[in-house]
Amino acid sequence: MSHVTPIDPEMLARFEKGYAARPELQVMSNAICRTSLSDAAFVPAAAAKLRMDFSVVVPDLEVTNQKQSGRCWMFSTMNVLRRRVIEKCNLENFSFSQTYLAFYDKLEKANLFFENVIHFADQELDDRETFTLMGNPLPDGGQWDMAISLTKKYGLVPSWVMPETAASTGTAKYLPILTRKMREDALELRKLVREGKDPSARREEMLAEIYNALRILYGQPPKTFDFEYTDKDEVYHSDKGLTPKSFMEKYVGNDFDQYVVVISSPIHEINRTYCQPFMGDVVEDGMFWLNLSQEELEDLTIRQLKAGEGVMFSCDCHPDGDRANGYWDQDSFQYGEVLGGMTFGMTKAERLLTRDSTMNHCMMFAGVNLEEDGTASRWKIENSWGEERGQKGYYVASEKWFKANVYQITVRKSLLNDAQRALLDQEPLPMKLWDPLS
């Protein structure tokens, strides 16, 4: 840098003088010495308006728990689909095995990583695509498209058929180990390609190592199982010899192509379809999104809720939330006031472009409260953080928070109007690997 502005004693003296001129700042410092910032900033009167009463709801179920894993996308997708099994079998409750899906998710992601490494083998390690790939070879996160790709390829099983393990519920304890090995493998694959050699055999050996590790960590995925249950009328049922795919087709269906992922991104061209060719899990499937306006995204969410079906969505869950009590709302927290009078005014686009905001959590909309004019005032959310958080695992978000932090939903194509449906025929534009919504 040709010119720098160091912090010097004179500048510090000015800061100290300014702080001393405002005695209320020291009072606030004293007040939060033994109080968390979020508790000090909490506005009870604003939160009291976020009642857990809604004019449109889907029935409550026992809340699932992803525990210490990044499988929110998997849980929220299955929270939509499990209601089909509950209705078909007349059950009080039901959940799928996330361990079963997670096993194949990690195996498929390893395969995709090796595929991408080979594709970009001619790049230098500090070129942007390769540098981005090396940053997270085996990500824990995902989206609807990825969960559905796994479901279509491998089927589904009930939770008790392949139960959770210490590894499936605490992925941070083993992912760095596999990630280190995959980066080492990547260097070897790049070298083979650069020397003009076929990397296929060595790649399969590497993938077999990952498979072995996952079998140890997660257990063996079942080939067949018996679906035994007692319905709400105390009638016992037994369906024997099912495969994961036959179970899926019989009890869930295979109409996943009738859904579309809709995003509302102010930094991408509106009324356009997009894809992410180097992201996902199953290499033979892709990611397909339709970018519509915020108003259209919200309208489609309401339409599906009115039709009696939950809506899986992706959002930025970090800002303005009370996870313990179940609120998401900007007006319920006065962080700027507590921290000396800061103001925050970035637009949604500016927050994305500066990396202040990103899609980092997936949940399911389970209800909405509509005013007399049909506009939404608050939203009911089914989360996957267990019943101990929120209001027995459910949360309420304000309309203001929805507009600021919800980026993606999945809805039935039949809910689109003719103009929106016509957009699906476009050739999707590829997003960059480092896109804020990737």
Side-chain angles (χ1 to χ4, degrees), residues 100-111:
Y100 176 78
L101 287 178
F103 175 92
Y104 287 114
D105 172 62
K106 293 298 183 290
L107 186 64
E108 289 283 354
K109 281 176 177 172
N111 188 48

Side-chain angles (χ1 to χ4, degrees), residues 42-293:
F42 187 61
V43 184
K49 299 176 182 177
L50 300 175
R51 296 180 55 80
M52 193 60 82
D53 297 293
F54 303 90
S55 57
V56 179
V57 292
V58 297
D60 284 2
L61 295 177
E62 291 180 16
V63 170
T64 52
N65 194 343
Q66 69 189 78
K67 298 188 178 180
Q68 302 302 310
S69 71
R71 299 174 294 167
C72 59
W73 55 283
M74 197 177 289
F75 275 81
S76 54
T77 301
M78 295 304 113
N79 283 341
V80 173
L81 299 183
R82 67 176 174 152
R83 285 165 164 78
R84 299 184 179 190
V85 182
I86 289 170
E87 182 176 346
K88 186 177 186 67
C89 298
N90 190 33
L91 298 173
E92 290 284 355
N93 193 56
F94 177 84
S95 60
F96 295 105
S97 170
Q98 318 296 339
T99 310
Y100 176 78
L101 287 178
F103 175 92
Y104 287 114
D105 172 62
K106 293 298 183 290
L107 186 64
E108 289 283 354
K109 281 176 177 172
N111 188 48
L112 177 62
F113 174 71
F114 293 148
E115 185 86 13
N116 288 335
V117 164
I118 292 170
H119 179 81
F120 290 110
D122 291 337
Q123 287 190 347
E124 297 303 316
L125 286 171
D126 58 357
D127 283 350
R128 196 163 187 184
E129 285 84 3
T130 298
F131 185 80
T132 301
L133 287 169
M134 292 294 186
N136 196 2
L138 199 60
D140 218 12
Q143 300 178 26
W144 167 276
D145 285 337
M146 296 159 67
I148 295 303
S149 293
L150 293 169
T151 299
K152 290 192 296 185
K153 185 170 184 176
Y154 296 105
L156 297 166
V157 301
S159 57
W160 63 85
V161 173
M162 190 172 178
E164 298 279 27
T165 69
S168 70
T169 58
T171 51
K173 296 177 181 179
Y174 82 85
L175 280 177
I177 299 170
L178 294 189
T179 293
R180 185 191 315 155
K181 181 58 180 172
M182 288 172 61
R183 289 187 178 118
E184 182 178 307
D185 291 342
L187 295 177
E188 183 180 345
L189 289 174
R190 285 167 51 84
K191 185 174 184 294
L192 289 171
V193 173
R194 286 173 165 233
E195 291 174 350
K197 300 176 181 177
D198 185 356
S200 301
R202 186 70 186 104
R203 167 183 172 171
E204 185 168 329
E205 291 174 351
M206 294 171 177
L207 201 59
E209 284 190 319
I210 300 299
Y211 175 89
N212 292 341
L214 292 172
R215 279 288 298 270
I216 293 168
L217 292 163
Y218 283 63
Q220 180 178 1
K223 295 286 194 301
T224 62
F225 63 95
D226 299 336
F227 183 38
E228 298 178 282
Y229 64 93
T230 301
D231 65 24
K232 289 192 291 186
D233 298 324
E234 299 298 321
V235 178
Y236 169 79
H237 302 263
S238 179
D239 196 350
K240 296 185 178 297
L242 292 169
T243 66
K245 290 196 75 171
S246 67
F247 172 78
M248 176 204 75
E249 290 167 356
K250 184 172 182 178
Y251 292 97
V252 179
N254 194 9
D255 62 343
F256 308 121
D257 292 340
Q258 299 305 308
Y259 289 83
V260 62
V261 175
V262 176
I263 61 173
S264 178
S265 170
I267 64 172
H268 296 88
E269 183 182 347
I270 203 76
N271 296 329
R272 279 292 326 182
T273 57
Y274 291 86
C275 63
Q276 176 47 276
F278 305 108
M279 176 183 166
D281 42 29
V282 177
V283 295
E284 59 266 35
D285 277 356
M287 311 277 286
F288 181 90
W289 304 331
L290 171 63
N291 191 32
L292 298 177
S293 68

Side-chain angles (χ1 to χ4, degrees), residues 38-39 42 47 319-329 333 335 390 395:
S38 59
D39 285 345
F42 187 61
D320 308 307
D322 181 346
R323 299 190 180 194
N325 297 300
Y327 301 112
W328 270 296
D329 174 42
F333 299 90
Y335 291 113
Y395 290 69

